[in-house]
Amino acid sequence: NAGVMQNPRHLVRRRGQEARLRCSPMKGHSHVYWYRQLPEEGLKFMVYLQKENIIDESGMPKERFSAEFPKEGPSILRIQQVVRGDSAAYFCASSPEAVNEQFFGPGTRLTVL
Amino acid sequence: GEDVEQSLFLSVREGDSSVINCTYTDSSSTYLYWYKQEPGAGLQLLTYIFSNMDMKQDQRLTVLLNKKDKHLSLRIADTQTGDSAIYFCAALNQAGTALIFGKGTTLSVSS
């Protein structure tokens, strides 16, 4: 049973470009969470999705950030018009029906030049 | 909002026990977690404890929960160099939708 998959593992963008981060949850998991880790910091919750629904987006910046988890395919975290402050590691986690166990992917490290 | 605090560094000798401490603010947190992160890697779930328990043991790991003081600890027995990593404490938020993480404790094990 493969774990949570994220790609790309490393992404470099110039200021103003778009970044698209992908997450495939563990098999059988229908709940996906995105977290952001800034250097020397813990993880900060961004958004919680189930298939085709956003359940909690209280941690998402109001502008430029969006997330989706379509019926088919991976969850996507999209950052438009990236700025240097978006440079961070973005982690995806998934869980089965019970929210209490969240399993994390290896992360995507975004660098904005 | 909820906050989770941990000490930033711990240094131990190989073979000793390590104790990593954590405090949290929201007494309604139903689950509390310990994750391990090695350099450049994702987070590995080590163990978690339900709030109606005060202790959980899993091989070399022992979790103690003092709900009255909102204090959680992780004890690693017979610490090995491979245990060197960052350890994150996390609490399930009140809505039950997300984990609130501490900033992590860097454990350094010397031989």
Side-chain angles (χ1 to χ4, degrees):
Chain A
N1 187 9
V4 178
M5 311 279 283
Q6 290 189 249
N7 68 81
R9 294 293 306 275
H10 300 273
L11 182 61
V12 179
R13 285 287 178 267
R14 295 191 180 280
R15 279 179 298 169
Q17 291 184 319
E18 179 179 287
R20 291 171 72 88
L21 288 63
R22 293 175 186 77
C23 169
S24 295
M26 286 178 71
K27 189 176 179 181
H29 288 193
S30 57
H31 303 247
V32 164
Y33 314 81
W34 286 94
Y35 292 81
R36 175 165 64 176
Q37 184 180 34
L38 294 169
E40 310 298 321
E41 295 281 324
L43 278 72
K44 300 290 186 190
F45 168 73
M46 299 181 77
V47 62
Y48 162 36
L49 310 104
Q50 293 180 25
K51 285 284 187 183
E52 300 184 280
N53 287 303
I54 296 174
I55 307 302
D56 181 351
E57 57 181 347
S58 58
M60 286 281 267
K62 293 286 184 279
E63 296 175 349
R64 301 188 297 109
F65 285 72
S66 62
E68 63 176 7
F69 188 18
K71 191 176 178 182
E72 301 290 336
S75 175
I76 307 285
L77 179 68
R78 184 177 173 215
I79 312 172
Q80 294 178 290
Q81 298 175 316
V82 295
V83 301
R84 288 219 174 102
D86 297 332
S87 295
Y90 291 82
F91 289 96
C92 169
S94 73
S95 69
E97 287 303 316
V99 176
N100 52 299
E101 282 186 295
Q102 293 187 18
F103 297 90
F104 281 79
T108 294
R109 281 154 182 82
L110 172 66
T111 302
V112 179
L113 301 177
Chain B
E2 169 143 31
D3 196 20
V4 175
E5 299 277 344
Q6 342 176 199
S7 51
L8 294 182
F9 299 101
L10 178 64
S11 183
V12 300
R13 286 189 174 277
E14 192 173 21
D16 288 350
S17 290
S18 307
V19 179
I20 303 171
N21 294 300
C22 169
T23 57
Y24 59 98
T25 55
D26 189 351
S27 57
S28 66
S29 291
T30 51
Y31 288 91
L32 298 132
Y33 306 79
W34 286 103
Y35 282 87
K36 176 184 179 183
Q37 184 181 37
E38 297 187 59
L43 275 72
Q44 175 192 355
L45 177 61
L46 289 177
T47 187
Y48 64 95
I49 188 167
F50 187 52
S51 59
N52 69 352
M53 299 168 67
D54 51 23
M55 187 181 95
K56 182 177 180 182
Q57 187 158 2
D58 184 1
Q59 299 184 335
R60 291 191 297 123
L61 304 179
T62 302
V63 178
L64 294 178
L65 174 60
N66 181 329
K67 200 174 175 185
K68 174 175 166 288
D69 294 339
K70 289 179 271 188
H71 181 268
L72 184 73
S73 67
L74 174 70
R75 179 176 179 269
I76 305 172
D78 186 26
T79 313
Q80 303 297 307
T81 53
D83 294 324
S84 293
I86 303 175
Y87 290 80
F88 289 97
C89 172
L92 187 65
N93 71 351
Q94 197 171 53
T97 56
L99 300 184
I100 310 299
F101 282 86
K103 290 189 176 182
T105 299
T106 299
L107 174 64
S108 175
V109 183
S110 57
S111 54

